Structure formats: structure tokens, C-alpha cells
Amino acid sequence: MIAEGLSAALRACRHLVVFTGAGVSRESGIPTFRDAQTGLWAHYDAEQLATPEAFAADPDLVWGWYAWRQALVLGCEPNAGHRAIAALQDCVPKLSVITQNVDGLHQRAGSRDVIELHGSLFQPRCAICAHDAPSAVLQSGEKIPQRLPPPRCPECQGPIRPGVVWFGEMLPEIPWQRAAEAVQACDLLLCVGTSALVYPAAALPMLAAQQGTVVQINPEPTALDEHATFNLRGRAASVLPQLLAQFQP
Ligand code: BV8
Ligand code: ZN
């Protein structure tokens, strides 16, 4: 049941920002960072693997992890939460989708102009000359060897790296600028499925809370709870369609 105050705020919204984390893809079958690593990676910590140091020390292991994640994502579908976010495009005068996720599921659900703060699994590039490389996607379901040598750059023979932002790396400038501008300008920020622990991305919903309404969707408490105007304790795929329904006549 959606509180009347929230329903009214949604319908009055002029510029809505939807800010998402790994939780929005959970019901598509993609483990979050907080989930214990599954399968081949049970004994690795994502925060250890998602670093330039790990790639320098063992490129085959890190590339194998990203190839496994690419195959996993391609075997998944956007869920009702992603689809509700895409449908919101036709409900408010302006909608900005800002995601920490690298899985591309918002785009596959129909969201346009998604701001990807942490890059994408599907935009690998040369680690030396940044030459774009084709996505080394393996057929989903193919058994991924735990170590997989990264492809070599056709321009300089350097190793191809995943097109994501690793821990310790700067966020891409344009997406960051666009996200900060959208958050400054919005009158309502909908924060879905993030533990709000990874900076600087986690600063965005805090910024929105200083000047407007923040609505959080998460089955668990997070660092954002005390800053949010509304805390909706639930899963993205069930709560987001209920919010979308507030716009139906
Ligand atoms: C930088 C791409 C600096 C890679 C990612 C100490 C203090 C403060 C900060 C730091 C510190 N030490 C280091 C830092 C900086 C660091 C950071 O913040 N670390 C954290 C861990 C403390 N940040 C960085 O390194 C950033 N860069 O700071 O550069 C710098 C400065 C100068 C010069 C050079 C550099 C870069 C950060 C980006 C890292 N890359 N991803 C990849 O994917 O492989 S981050 C990655 O983890 C994700 O993208 C995401 O951002 C984050 C995970 O967070 P969530 O998305 O929230 O996922 P999580 O699993 O945490 O939570 C899921 C939530 O969903 C939960 O709350 C759960 O309850 C909920 N949920 C579950 N099911 C559902 C659900 N919700 C709804 N529905 C459901 N069904
Ligand atoms: Zn190169």
C-alpha cells in the first residue's frame, strides 16, 4: 500500500531521478556485491577482484571473472523492476536513470540515456591505449575456465581490460557530471537496491535528501535510512510496479 503523501509527491514530480544499485538486478538472478560470491568465485571477494592491482597481478583470473559475469548477465532478463523504471519515462516530464550497475539491464528493459557511473561489462578496452575492444562474450552456459587470458589489443598488443570502474579508479567524468547535475535539479530521487556504501556514488542520494524528496526501496536497512523521506521495505520487482501504478489515471 503506497502512502498518500508519496503518491501525491510522485504525481507532482517534474524531474524524477532513479538511482539504482545491484539490488535492482537481484530478481533477474544476478548476485549483489553483498551476496556471498557464488559458484567458481565462492572464495574470492568481489572488492578484491574489482581492482587494478588484481588485474595487474593476475589478469587471467580477473578477466575470467568478468567473462563469467558477462555470460551470467546475458543469460538473465530484465525484471519487473527494470521494466517499471523504463515505463516511468512516459509518466513524468523528465526522468534521469543513474546506475551503479554494469549489467546493462536497464537499457535492455527499454530505459533510454542511462547514466552508468561505474561503466559496463560490455565495453572492454585496451588497458594501455584505451582502444575499444569487442566484448569477449562467451556463449552463456559455456563452462568458464577460472583463468582466461585477456585478449590482446590489435593496435598495441596490450591486454584488454573490462570497461568498468575498479575500486581506487576515478569515475568517468561526463557520467559523473551529468549525474550530479540531474540530482541537483531533481525534485524526487528514487533510490533502489543499493547499500549506499560505495563512494562517490553513494553521495548522490545524500545530496538529493538535502534539497528534495528521497524514496528508498530496499528489503534491508541501509546507510540511507535516516536521510530518506520514505523508506519502502520491499523488493524492487514488487514495489516499483506499485509506484508506477500511482501514475495511472
Ligand atoms: C574512488 C564496478 C578515488 C566494478 C564498482 C574508505 C571510506 C570511504 C571510501 C573509500 C574508502 N576506501 C576506499 C574508498 C573509495 C571506494 C569506496 O567507496 N569503497 C567502499 C567499499 C568503502 N570507492 C572507490 O574506489 C571509487 N573510486 O573513490 O576513486 C580516487 C580519488 C582520487 C584519484 C583516484 C581515485 C570507485 C568505486 C567504484 C567501484 N566499482 N563496480 C564491477 O562491478 O566489477 S562498485 C560496485 O560495488 C557496484 O557498482 C556498486 O557500486 C557497489 C555495490 O553496491 P550496491 O550496488 O549497493 O550493491 P550491494 O551488494 O552493496 O547492495 C545491494 C543492496 O540491494 C543491498 O542493500 C540489499 O539489501 C539490496 N537488495 C537485495 N535484494 C534486493 C535489494 N533491493 C531491492 N530489491 C531486491 N530484490
Ligand atoms: Zn592498445
Side-chain angles (χ1 to χ4, degrees), residues 126 128-131 153 155-158:
C126 174
I128 306 301
C129 73
H131 177 78
C153 169
E155 301 294 314
C156 75
Q157 296 316 308

Side-chain angles (χ1 to χ4, degrees), residues 26-95:
R26 188 73 192 75
E27 288 151 285
S28 294
I30 300 174
T32 70
F33 273 70
R34 294 306 121 203
D35 287 338
Q37 287 286 353
T38 54
L40 280 174
W41 307 94
H43 45 295
Y44 288 101
D45 174 347
E47 278 168 35
Q48 298 306 316
L49 284 181
T51 64
E53 293 77 18
F55 186 68
D58 193 341
D60 298 4
L61 176 70
V62 174
W63 184 259
W65 183 50
Y66 282 91
W68 174 72
R69 288 176 61 192
Q70 275 189 352
L72 174 74
V73 165
L74 287 177
C76 295
E77 292 299 322
N79 62 56
H82 295 108
R83 291 196 297 274
I85 291 168
L88 284 172
Q89 288 170 135
D90 302 325
C91 301
V92 292
K94 185 166 172 53
L95 172 69

Side-chain angles (χ1 to χ4, degrees), residues 25 28-31 65-78 82 101-108 120-122 137-141 144:
S25 297
S28 294
I30 300 174
W65 183 50
Y66 282 91
W68 174 72
R69 288 176 61 192
Q70 275 189 352
L72 174 74
V73 165
L74 287 177
C76 295
E77 292 299 322
H82 295 108
N101 301 339
V102 296
D103 58 32
L105 288 183
H106 285 302
Q107 293 90 324
R108 285 172 57 192
S120 166
L121 283 174
F122 303 98
V137 176
L138 300 153
Q139 296 317 313
S140 68
I144 310 279

